[in-house]
Amino acid sequence: MSHAPVLLAEAMDALALADGGLYVDATFGGGGYSREMLSRADCRVVAFDRDPDAIVRGAELSESAKGKFTLHQGRFGDLSLEQVDGVVFDLGVSSFQLDEAERGFSFQADADLDMRMEKDGLSAADAVNRLSEGALADLIYRYGEDDDSRRIARAIVQARAAAPITRTLHFAKLVEDSVGGRRGARTHPATKTFQALRMLVNDELGELARGLSAAERALKPGGRLVVVSFHSLEDRMVKHFITERADAQGRGSRYAPDLPPERTPSFSIDRKRATVSSDAETAANPRARSASLRWATRTDAPAWDELEPPALAPRAEAEWQKLQ
Ligand SMILES: C[S@@+](CC[C@H](N)C(=O)[O-])C[C@H]1O[C@@H](n2cnc3c(N)ncnc32)[C@H](O)[C@@H]1O
């Protein structure tokens, strides 16, 4: 089992690694990015992952790169370092998480419907069995961007009235049947529903908002923010975050006195478009298909106010919050 890092060379180039620098790998995973950072420059790397299994996997590197590398279990939203030269996020789940059936992230093998990156707290089964039909439809439509959300939510509620839904394969089949089978689709009909549940269970959009703001505070002038995302909602959030902060916003004037005072850009961007994987990488690694990389350079202006996570599926988010 291994994890092939996506957009590795592109992410490293964007970080502009330099000897003596201090870099943050916000999502250690299998350590592909951290290893490459340490091999490209005589630098120090501080890495994080919220998954305890990733920390165990990183023990060897912690030992062999002692003094240059430290790995912490925790969420990148809680990052509180200062004066760093670069922060890189490689979002989503690792192949380790997907391939270990018992983690419950995948519908390729039967396991408990779990999906908790931290192995703690409420699981995907709690969401499926305890959210209202309206909240489930909201979640699958907004987070999963699945037009069949209402049909899927109805099927979930009908099925759980007979017995709780606890297993991945049972759940995937239920979703598949609710939309009338596979109909020649390239991806499994439950893909988007699984993704939506994973994002809710791990508060992935909230974490991204907190992580971006934490990185903004951590970076020193000239430091690089680099983000690889795999979901259009995440890519959109990253794009808005850096383009808004790279542009002086809301210049108040006597014609529009209600606008907030002008803000000094906290980032600059060289390239507005996202970098995507090459055809060769996509052919070799299907995970690369949806990858998108954006980066920006920190200016010396103060960090802006904390980014508010978008309330995308308010009904699902409110019900989920109540269950905590
Ligand atoms: C795509 S993998 C990273 C792969 C890594 N770049 C590599 O080359 O092996 C994403 C990792 O980020 C971790 N992760 C996701 N959200 C996180 C968060 N909010 N805080 C810390 N780690 C997170 C996941 O547990 C997973 O191990």
PDB file of all heavy atoms in Angstrom, residues 288-323:
ATOM      1  N   ALA A 288      -5.393  12.079  -9.628  1.00  0.00           N
ATOM      2  CA  ALA A 288      -4.905  13.369 -10.121  1.00  0.00           C
ATOM      3  C   ALA A 288      -5.927  14.075 -11.011  1.00  0.00           C
ATOM      4  O   ALA A 288      -5.814  15.277 -11.279  1.00  0.00           O
ATOM      5  CB  ALA A 288      -3.601  13.158 -10.894  1.00  0.00           C
ATOM      6  N   ARG A 289      -6.933  13.302 -11.448  1.00  0.00           N
ATOM      7  CA  ARG A 289      -7.911  13.835 -12.418  1.00  0.00           C
ATOM      8  C   ARG A 289      -8.557  15.136 -11.964  1.00  0.00           C
ATOM      9  O   ARG A 289      -8.747  16.056 -12.733  1.00  0.00           O
ATOM     10  CB  ARG A 289      -8.997  12.781 -12.625  1.00  0.00           C
ATOM     11  CG  ARG A 289      -9.327  12.525 -14.054  1.00  0.00           C
ATOM     12  CD  ARG A 289     -10.290  11.407 -14.287  1.00  0.00           C
ATOM     13  NE  ARG A 289     -11.039  10.955 -13.129  1.00  0.00           N
ATOM     14  CZ  ARG A 289     -11.417   9.699 -12.943  1.00  0.00           C
ATOM     15  NH1 ARG A 289     -11.099   8.779 -13.828  1.00  0.00           N
ATOM     16  NH2 ARG A 289     -12.119   9.349 -11.894  1.00  0.00           N
ATOM     17  N   SER A 290      -8.885  15.196 -10.675  1.00  0.00           N
ATOM     18  CA  SER A 290      -9.623  16.371 -10.206  1.00  0.00           C
ATOM     19  C   SER A 290      -8.730  17.345  -9.430  1.00  0.00           C
ATOM     20  O   SER A 290      -9.237  18.255  -8.777  1.00  0.00           O
ATOM     21  CB  SER A 290     -10.796  15.913  -9.334  1.00  0.00           C
ATOM     22  OG  SER A 290     -10.315  14.998  -8.363  1.00  0.00           O
ATOM     23  N   ALA A 291      -7.415  17.148  -9.492  1.00  0.00           N
ATOM     24  CA  ALA A 291      -6.522  17.988  -8.676  1.00  0.00           C
ATOM     25  C   ALA A 291      -6.335  19.369  -9.283  1.00  0.00           C
ATOM     26  O   ALA A 291      -6.319  19.543 -10.498  1.00  0.00           O
ATOM     27  CB  ALA A 291      -5.163  17.308  -8.534  1.00  0.00           C
ATOM     28  N   SER A 292      -6.184  20.340  -8.387  1.00  0.00           N
ATOM     29  CA  SER A 292      -6.023  21.718  -8.830  1.00  0.00           C
ATOM     30  C   SER A 292      -5.094  22.416  -7.831  1.00  0.00           C
ATOM     31  O   SER A 292      -5.312  22.337  -6.626  1.00  0.00           O
ATOM     32  CB  SER A 292      -7.428  22.328  -8.825  1.00  0.00           C
ATOM     33  OG  SER A 292      -7.379  23.701  -8.798  1.00  0.00           O
ATOM     34  N   LEU A 293      -4.047  23.052  -8.346  1.00  0.00           N
ATOM     35  CA  LEU A 293      -3.076  23.707  -7.452  1.00  0.00           C
ATOM     36  C   LEU A 293      -3.137  25.219  -7.613  1.00  0.00           C
ATOM     37  O   LEU A 293      -3.150  25.738  -8.734  1.00  0.00           O
ATOM     38  CB  LEU A 293      -1.657  23.204  -7.796  1.00  0.00           C
ATOM     39  CG  LEU A 293      -0.489  23.753  -6.968  1.00  0.00           C
ATOM     40  CD1 LEU A 293       0.648  22.725  -6.951  1.00  0.00           C
ATOM     41  CD2 LEU A 293       0.058  25.082  -7.462  1.00  0.00           C
ATOM     42  N   ARG A 294      -3.185  25.911  -6.473  1.00  0.00           N
ATOM     43  CA  ARG A 294      -3.117  27.381  -6.491  1.00  0.00           C
ATOM     44  C   ARG A 294      -2.071  27.828  -5.486  1.00  0.00           C
ATOM     45  O   ARG A 294      -1.918  27.206  -4.429  1.00  0.00           O
ATOM     46  CB  ARG A 294      -4.463  28.011  -6.113  1.00  0.00           C
ATOM     47  CG  ARG A 294      -5.546  27.736  -7.130  1.00  0.00           C
ATOM     48  CD  ARG A 294      -6.848  28.434  -6.787  1.00  0.00           C
ATOM     49  NE  ARG A 294      -7.891  27.974  -7.685  1.00  0.00           N
ATOM     50  CZ  ARG A 294      -8.133  28.510  -8.878  1.00  0.00           C
ATOM     51  NH1 ARG A 294      -7.434  29.538  -9.307  1.00  0.00           N
ATOM     52  NH2 ARG A 294      -9.085  28.021  -9.642  1.00  0.00           N
ATOM     53  N   TRP A 295      -1.378  28.893  -5.792  1.00  0.00           N
ATOM     54  CA  TRP A 295      -0.399  29.397  -4.830  1.00  0.00           C
ATOM     55  C   TRP A 295      -0.354  30.916  -4.864  1.00  0.00           C
ATOM     56  O   TRP A 295      -0.783  31.545  -5.837  1.00  0.00           O
ATOM     57  CB  TRP A 295       0.991  28.805  -5.089  1.00  0.00           C
ATOM     58  CG  TRP A 295       1.628  29.158  -6.410  1.00  0.00           C
ATOM     59  CD1 TRP A 295       1.490  28.474  -7.583  1.00  0.00           C
ATOM     60  CD2 TRP A 295       2.516  30.245  -6.670  1.00  0.00           C
ATOM     61  NE1 TRP A 295       2.223  29.070  -8.564  1.00  0.00           N
ATOM     62  CE2 TRP A 295       2.868  30.156  -8.037  1.00  0.00           C
ATOM     63  CE3 TRP A 295       3.042  31.279  -5.896  1.00  0.00           C
ATOM     64  CZ2 TRP A 295       3.725  31.075  -8.644  1.00  0.00           C
ATOM     65  CZ3 TRP A 295       3.903  32.190  -6.503  1.00  0.00           C
ATOM     66  CH2 TRP A 295       4.231  32.070  -7.860  1.00  0.00           C
ATOM     67  N   ALA A 296       0.162  31.475  -3.771  1.00  0.00           N
ATOM     68  CA  ALA A 296       0.257  32.930  -3.657  1.00  0.00           C
ATOM     69  C   ALA A 296       1.428  33.264  -2.737  1.00  0.00           C
ATOM     70  O   ALA A 296       1.886  32.414  -1.958  1.00  0.00           O
ATOM     71  CB  ALA A 296      -1.040  33.493  -3.067  1.00  0.00           C
ATOM     72  N   THR A 297       1.922  34.506  -2.853  1.00  0.00           N
ATOM     73  CA  THR A 297       3.064  34.943  -2.039  1.00  0.00           C
ATOM     74  C   THR A 297       2.573  35.944  -0.992  1.00  0.00           C
ATOM     75  O   THR A 297       1.853  36.895  -1.326  1.00  0.00           O
ATOM     76  CB  THR A 297       4.118  35.637  -2.946  1.00  0.00           C
ATOM     77  OG1 THR A 297       4.438  34.747  -4.020  1.00  0.00           O
ATOM     78  CG2 THR A 297       5.388  35.963  -2.158  1.00  0.00           C
ATOM     79  N   ARG A 298       2.987  35.732   0.246  1.00  0.00           N
ATOM     80  CA  ARG A 298       2.573  36.608   1.352  1.00  0.00           C
ATOM     81  C   ARG A 298       3.265  37.962   1.214  1.00  0.00           C
ATOM     82  O   ARG A 298       4.462  38.029   0.906  1.00  0.00           O
ATOM     83  CB  ARG A 298       2.969  35.932   2.675  1.00  0.00           C
ATOM     84  CG  ARG A 298       2.471  36.605   3.934  1.00  0.00           C
ATOM     85  CD  ARG A 298       0.996  36.382   4.140  1.00  0.00           C
ATOM     86  NE  ARG A 298       0.605  36.871   5.461  1.00  0.00           N
ATOM     87  CZ  ARG A 298       0.301  38.143   5.743  1.00  0.00           C
ATOM     88  NH1 ARG A 298       0.334  39.066   4.787  1.00  0.00           N
ATOM     89  NH2 ARG A 298      -0.047  38.483   6.952  1.00  0.00           N
ATOM     90  N   THR A 299       2.516  39.022   1.439  1.00  0.00           N
ATOM     91  CA  THR A 299       3.110  40.367   1.469  1.00  0.00           C
ATOM     92  C   THR A 299       3.434  40.711   2.936  1.00  0.00           C
ATOM     93  O   THR A 299       3.218  39.879   3.825  1.00  0.00           O
ATOM     94  CB  THR A 299       2.122  41.422   0.938  1.00  0.00           C
ATOM     95  OG1 THR A 299       1.042  41.510   1.877  1.00  0.00           O
ATOM     96  CG2 THR A 299       1.577  41.060  -0.438  1.00  0.00           C
ATOM     97  N   ASP A 300       3.862  41.951   3.177  1.00  0.00           N
ATOM     98  CA  ASP A 300       4.153  42.303   4.571  1.00  0.00           C
ATOM     99  C   ASP A 300       2.963  42.969   5.270  1.00  0.00           C
ATOM    100  O   ASP A 300       3.080  43.463   6.382  1.00  0.00           O
ATOM    101  CB  ASP A 300       5.411  43.185   4.665  1.00  0.00           C
ATOM    102  CG  ASP A 300       5.268  44.466   3.845  1.00  0.00           C
ATOM    103  OD1 ASP A 300       4.148  44.711   3.317  1.00  0.00           O
ATOM    104  OD2 ASP A 300       6.250  45.213   3.737  1.00  0.00           O
ATOM    105  N   ALA A 301       1.790  42.967   4.615  1.00  0.00           N
ATOM    106  CA  ALA A 301       0.590  43.569   5.239  1.00  0.00           C
ATOM    107  C   ALA A 301       0.059  42.646   6.348  1.00  0.00           C
ATOM    108  O   ALA A 301       0.279  41.439   6.303  1.00  0.00           O
ATOM    109  CB  ALA A 301      -0.493  43.760   4.181  1.00  0.00           C
ATOM    110  N   PRO A 302      -0.649  43.223   7.323  1.00  0.00           N
ATOM    111  CA  PRO A 302      -1.223  42.365   8.382  1.00  0.00           C
ATOM    112  C   PRO A 302      -2.210  41.354   7.795  1.00  0.00           C
ATOM    113  O   PRO A 302      -2.819  41.602   6.739  1.00  0.00           O
ATOM    114  CB  PRO A 302      -1.964  43.361   9.278  1.00  0.00           C
ATOM    115  CG  PRO A 302      -1.540  44.714   8.861  1.00  0.00           C
ATOM    116  CD  PRO A 302      -0.983  44.645   7.486  1.00  0.00           C
ATOM    117  N   ALA A 303      -2.362  40.249   8.513  1.00  0.00           N
ATOM    118  CA  ALA A 303      -3.354  39.249   8.084  1.00  0.00           C
ATOM    119  C   ALA A 303      -4.752  39.846   8.188  1.00  0.00           C
ATOM    120  O   ALA A 303      -5.022  40.643   9.081  1.00  0.00           O
ATOM    121  CB  ALA A 303      -3.240  38.009   8.975  1.00  0.00           C
ATOM    122  N   TRP A 304      -5.625  39.440   7.284  1.00  0.00           N
ATOM    123  CA  TRP A 304      -7.016  39.911   7.316  1.00  0.00           C
ATOM    124  C   TRP A 304      -7.783  39.152   8.396  1.00  0.00           C
ATOM    125  O   TRP A 304      -7.264  38.234   9.008  1.00  0.00           O
ATOM    126  CB  TRP A 304      -7.672  39.677   5.947  1.00  0.00           C
ATOM    127  CG  TRP A 304      -7.162  40.580   4.875  1.00  0.00           C
ATOM    128  CD1 TRP A 304      -5.937  41.175   4.810  1.00  0.00           C
ATOM    129  CD2 TRP A 304      -7.867  40.989   3.707  1.00  0.00           C
ATOM    130  NE1 TRP A 304      -5.824  41.924   3.675  1.00  0.00           N
ATOM    131  CE2 TRP A 304      -6.999  41.822   2.974  1.00  0.00           C
ATOM    132  CE3 TRP A 304      -9.142  40.725   3.200  1.00  0.00           C
ATOM    133  CZ2 TRP A 304      -7.383  42.398   1.762  1.00  0.00           C
ATOM    134  CZ3 TRP A 304      -9.522  41.292   2.000  1.00  0.00           C
ATOM    135  CH2 TRP A 304      -8.643  42.128   1.291  1.00  0.00           C
ATOM    136  N   ASP A 305      -9.070  39.549   8.568  1.00  0.00           N
ATOM    137  CA  ASP A 305      -9.912  38.836   9.537  1.00  0.00           C
ATOM    138  C   ASP A 305     -10.013  37.371   9.131  1.00  0.00           C
ATOM    139  O   ASP A 305      -9.940  37.029   7.947  1.00  0.00           O
ATOM    140  CB  ASP A 305     -11.335  39.430   9.547  1.00  0.00           C
ATOM    141  CG  ASP A 305     -11.315  40.861  10.039  1.00  0.00           C
ATOM    142  OD1 ASP A 305     -10.318  41.264  10.675  1.00  0.00           O
ATOM    143  OD2 ASP A 305     -12.290  41.583   9.747  1.00  0.00           O
ATOM    144  N   GLU A 306     -10.262  36.544  10.116  1.00  0.00           N
ATOM    145  CA  GLU A 306     -10.426  35.097   9.911  1.00  0.00           C
ATOM    146  C   GLU A 306     -11.481  34.836   8.815  1.00  0.00           C
ATOM    147  O   GLU A 306     -12.541  35.447   8.820  1.00  0.00           O
ATOM    148  CB  GLU A 306     -10.884  34.488  11.245  1.00  0.00           C
ATOM    149  CG  GLU A 306     -11.115  33.017  11.243  1.00  0.00           C
ATOM    150  CD  GLU A 306      -9.901  32.228  11.754  1.00  0.00           C
ATOM    151  OE1 GLU A 306      -8.979  32.836  12.339  1.00  0.00           O
ATOM    152  OE2 GLU A 306      -9.898  31.020  11.539  1.00  0.00           O
ATOM    153  N   LEU A 307     -11.152  33.929   7.908  1.00  0.00           N
ATOM    154  CA  LEU A 307     -12.106  33.579   6.851  1.00  0.00           C
ATOM    155  C   LEU A 307     -13.283  32.822   7.465  1.00  0.00           C
ATOM    156  O   LEU A 307     -13.089  31.870   8.216  1.00  0.00           O
ATOM    157  CB  LEU A 307     -11.397  32.691   5.816  1.00  0.00           C
ATOM    158  CG  LEU A 307     -12.231  32.230   4.626  1.00  0.00           C
ATOM    159  CD1 LEU A 307     -12.601  33.396   3.731  1.00  0.00           C
ATOM    160  CD2 LEU A 307     -11.460  31.187   3.809  1.00  0.00           C
ATOM    161  N   GLU A 308     -14.498  33.244   7.126  1.00  0.00           N
ATOM    162  CA  GLU A 308     -15.690  32.561   7.625  1.00  0.00           C
ATOM    163  C   GLU A 308     -15.947  31.348   6.749  1.00  0.00           C
ATOM    164  O   GLU A 308     -16.024  31.487   5.525  1.00  0.00           O
ATOM    165  CB  GLU A 308     -16.912  33.487   7.506  1.00  0.00           C
ATOM    166  CG  GLU A 308     -16.997  34.549   8.566  1.00  0.00           C
ATOM    167  CD  GLU A 308     -17.310  33.957   9.918  1.00  0.00           C
ATOM    168  OE1 GLU A 308     -18.104  33.010   9.997  1.00  0.00           O
ATOM    169  OE2 GLU A 308     -16.733  34.453  10.907  1.00  0.00           O
ATOM    170  N   PRO A 309     -16.140  30.161   7.323  1.00  0.00           N
ATOM    171  CA  PRO A 309     -16.498  29.026   6.475  1.00  0.00           C
ATOM    172  C   PRO A 309     -17.857  29.294   5.826  1.00  0.00           C
ATOM    173  O   PRO A 309     -18.733  29.870   6.472  1.00  0.00           O
ATOM    174  CB  PRO A 309     -16.583  27.843   7.432  1.00  0.00           C
ATOM    175  CG  PRO A 309     -16.205  28.336   8.763  1.00  0.00           C
ATOM    176  CD  PRO A 309     -16.100  29.831   8.742  1.00  0.00           C
ATOM    177  N   PRO A 310     -18.051  28.910   4.577  1.00  0.00           N
ATOM    178  CA  PRO A 310     -19.335  29.189   3.939  1.00  0.00           C
ATOM    179  C   PRO A 310     -20.418  28.301   4.541  1.00  0.00           C
ATOM    180  O   PRO A 310     -20.162  27.141   4.843  1.00  0.00           O
ATOM    181  CB  PRO A 310     -19.077  28.779   2.481  1.00  0.00           C
ATOM    182  CG  PRO A 310     -17.972  27.766   2.553  1.00  0.00           C
ATOM    183  CD  PRO A 310     -17.148  28.112   3.747  1.00  0.00           C
ATOM    184  N   ALA A 311     -21.613  28.864   4.764  1.00  0.00           N
ATOM    185  CA  ALA A 311     -22.726  28.033   5.240  1.00  0.00           C
ATOM    186  C   ALA A 311     -23.389  27.466   3.992  1.00  0.00           C
ATOM    187  O   ALA A 311     -24.331  28.033   3.463  1.00  0.00           O
ATOM    188  CB  ALA A 311     -23.691  28.885   6.051  1.00  0.00           C
ATOM    189  N   LEU A 312     -22.866  26.350   3.512  1.00  0.00           N
ATOM    190  CA  LEU A 312     -23.317  25.827   2.219  1.00  0.00           C
ATOM    191  C   LEU A 312     -24.565  24.972   2.325  1.00  0.00           C
ATOM    192  O   LEU A 312     -25.430  25.003   1.468  1.00  0.00           O
ATOM    193  CB  LEU A 312     -22.199  24.963   1.611  1.00  0.00           C
ATOM    194  CG  LEU A 312     -21.160  25.709   0.804  1.00  0.00           C
ATOM    195  CD1 LEU A 312     -20.097  24.762   0.336  1.00  0.00           C
ATOM    196  CD2 LEU A 312     -21.810  26.408  -0.386  1.00  0.00           C
ATOM    197  N   ALA A 313     -24.598  24.167   3.371  1.00  0.00           N
ATOM    198  CA  ALA A 313     -25.755  23.291   3.572  1.00  0.00           C
ATOM    199  C   ALA A 313     -26.240  23.548   4.988  1.00  0.00           C
ATOM    200  O   ALA A 313     -26.064  22.721   5.880  1.00  0.00           O
ATOM    201  CB  ALA A 313     -25.340  21.842   3.379  1.00  0.00           C
ATOM    202  N   PRO A 314     -26.870  24.733   5.226  1.00  0.00           N
ATOM    203  CA  PRO A 314     -27.137  25.161   6.602  1.00  0.00           C
ATOM    204  C   PRO A 314     -27.972  24.186   7.415  1.00  0.00           C
ATOM    205  O   PRO A 314     -27.732  24.005   8.595  1.00  0.00           O
ATOM    206  CB  PRO A 314     -27.849  26.503   6.419  1.00  0.00           C
ATOM    207  CG  PRO A 314     -28.001  26.731   4.970  1.00  0.00           C
ATOM    208  CD  PRO A 314     -27.278  25.674   4.216  1.00  0.00           C
ATOM    209  N   ARG A 315     -28.924  23.558   6.756  1.00  0.00           N
ATOM    210  CA  ARG A 315     -29.792  22.647   7.509  1.00  0.00           C
ATOM    211  C   ARG A 315     -28.987  21.444   8.020  1.00  0.00           C
ATOM    212  O   ARG A 315     -29.084  21.066   9.184  1.00  0.00           O
ATOM    213  CB  ARG A 315     -30.909  22.173   6.564  1.00  0.00           C
ATOM    214  CG  ARG A 315     -32.017  21.520   7.279  1.00  0.00           C
ATOM    215  CD  ARG A 315     -33.260  21.510   6.448  1.00  0.00           C
ATOM    216  NE  ARG A 315     -34.201  20.608   7.083  1.00  0.00           N
ATOM    217  CZ  ARG A 315     -35.310  20.219   6.540  1.00  0.00           C
ATOM    218  NH1 ARG A 315     -35.650  20.656   5.343  1.00  0.00           N
ATOM    219  NH2 ARG A 315     -36.123  19.409   7.167  1.00  0.00           N
ATOM    220  N   ALA A 316     -28.187  20.868   7.121  1.00  0.00           N
ATOM    221  CA  ALA A 316     -27.371  19.708   7.511  1.00  0.00           C
ATOM    222  C   ALA A 316     -26.342  20.127   8.561  1.00  0.00           C
ATOM    223  O   ALA A 316     -26.143  19.431   9.565  1.00  0.00           O
ATOM    224  CB  ALA A 316     -26.670  19.137   6.279  1.00  0.00           C
ATOM    225  N   GLU A 317     -25.718  21.271   8.354  1.00  0.00           N
ATOM    226  CA  GLU A 317     -24.680  21.722   9.291  1.00  0.00           C
ATOM    227  C   GLU A 317     -25.283  21.972  10.679  1.00  0.00           C
ATOM    228  O   GLU A 317     -24.697  21.599  11.695  1.00  0.00           O
ATOM    229  CB  GLU A 317     -23.996  22.984   8.751  1.00  0.00           C
ATOM    230  CG  GLU A 317     -23.075  22.684   7.572  1.00  0.00           C
ATOM    231  CD  GLU A 317     -22.857  23.880   6.645  1.00  0.00           C
ATOM    232  OE1 GLU A 317     -23.298  24.998   6.967  1.00  0.00           O
ATOM    233  OE2 GLU A 317     -22.255  23.683   5.575  1.00  0.00           O
ATOM    234  N   ALA A 318     -26.489  22.594  10.729  1.00  0.00           N
ATOM    235  CA  ALA A 318     -27.111  22.899  12.030  1.00  0.00           C
ATOM    236  C   ALA A 318     -27.509  21.604  12.748  1.00  0.00           C
ATOM    237  O   ALA A 318     -27.253  21.449  13.942  1.00  0.00           O
ATOM    238  CB  ALA A 318     -28.318  23.799  11.819  1.00  0.00           C
ATOM    239  N   GLU A 319     -28.100  20.669  12.011  1.00  0.00           N
ATOM    240  CA  GLU A 319     -28.506  19.407  12.660  1.00  0.00           C
ATOM    241  C   GLU A 319     -27.278  18.637  13.142  1.00  0.00           C
ATOM    242  O   GLU A 319     -27.271  18.052  14.222  1.00  0.00           O
ATOM    243  CB  GLU A 319     -29.320  18.538  11.692  1.00  0.00           C
ATOM    244  CG  GLU A 319     -30.745  19.015  11.517  1.00  0.00           C
ATOM    245  CD  GLU A 319     -31.609  18.031  10.718  1.00  0.00           C
ATOM    246  OE1 GLU A 319     -31.292  16.825  10.671  1.00  0.00           O
ATOM    247  OE2 GLU A 319     -32.603  18.489  10.121  1.00  0.00           O
ATOM    248  N   TRP A 320     -26.239  18.652  12.337  1.00  0.00           N
ATOM    249  CA  TRP A 320     -25.000  17.931  12.686  1.00  0.00           C
ATOM    250  C   TRP A 320     -24.383  18.535  13.943  1.00  0.00           C
ATOM    251  O   TRP A 320     -23.918  17.837  14.831  1.00  0.00           O
ATOM    252  CB  TRP A 320     -24.043  17.995  11.498  1.00  0.00           C
ATOM    253  CG  TRP A 320     -22.800  17.173  11.631  1.00  0.00           C
ATOM    254  CD1 TRP A 320     -21.522  17.622  11.680  1.00  0.00           C
ATOM    255  CD2 TRP A 320     -22.708  15.735  11.747  1.00  0.00           C
ATOM    256  NE1 TRP A 320     -20.645  16.571  11.798  1.00  0.00           N
ATOM    257  CE2 TRP A 320     -21.343  15.407  11.852  1.00  0.00           C
ATOM    258  CE3 TRP A 320     -23.652  14.710  11.782  1.00  0.00           C
ATOM    259  CZ2 TRP A 320     -20.886  14.089  11.975  1.00  0.00           C
ATOM    260  CZ3 TRP A 320     -23.193  13.386  11.911  1.00  0.00           C
ATOM    261  CH2 TRP A 320     -21.848  13.104  12.002  1.00  0.00           C
ATOM    262  N   GLN A 321     -24.408  19.854  14.006  1.00  0.00           N
ATOM    263  CA  GLN A 321     -23.860  20.561  15.156  1.00  0.00           C
ATOM    264  C   GLN A 321     -24.596  20.156  16.430  1.00  0.00           C
ATOM    265  O   GLN A 321     -23.982  19.914  17.473  1.00  0.00           O
ATOM    266  CB  GLN A 321     -24.022  22.075  14.904  1.00  0.00           C
ATOM    267  CG  GLN A 321     -22.999  22.949  15.600  1.00  0.00           C
ATOM    268  CD  GLN A 321     -21.577  22.461  15.380  1.00  0.00           C
ATOM    269  OE1 GLN A 321     -21.176  22.209  14.258  1.00  0.00           O
ATOM    270  NE2 GLN A 321     -20.831  22.288  16.448  1.00  0.00           N
ATOM    271  N   LYS A 322     -25.915  20.030  16.320  1.00  0.00           N
ATOM    272  CA  LYS A 322     -26.717  19.669  17.495  1.00  0.00           C
ATOM    273  C   LYS A 322     -26.397  18.269  18.000  1.00  0.00           C
ATOM    274  O   LYS A 322     -26.530  17.978  19.183  1.00  0.00           O
ATOM    275  CB  LYS A 322     -28.215  19.718  17.132  1.00  0.00           C
ATOM    276  CG  LYS A 322     -28.825  21.058  17.337  1.00  0.00           C
ATOM    277  CD  LYS A 322     -30.331  20.924  17.453  1.00  0.00           C
ATOM    278  CE  LYS A 322     -30.981  22.277  17.322  1.00  0.00           C
ATOM    279  NZ  LYS A 322     -32.221  22.244  16.599  1.00  0.00           N
ATOM    280  N   LEU A 323     -26.004  17.387  17.058  1.00  0.00           N
ATOM    281  CA  LEU A 323     -25.703  16.020  17.460  1.00  0.00           C
ATOM    282  C   LEU A 323     -24.365  15.899  18.201  1.00  0.00           C
ATOM    283  O   LEU A 323     -24.135  14.908  18.897  1.00  0.00           O
ATOM    284  CB  LEU A 323     -25.640  15.102  16.217  1.00  0.00           C
ATOM    285  CG  LEU A 323     -26.929  14.857  15.452  1.00  0.00           C
ATOM    286  CD1 LEU A 323     -26.665  13.991  14.229  1.00  0.00           C
ATOM    287  CD2 LEU A 323     -27.960  14.167  16.356  1.00  0.00           C
TER     288      LEU A 323
END
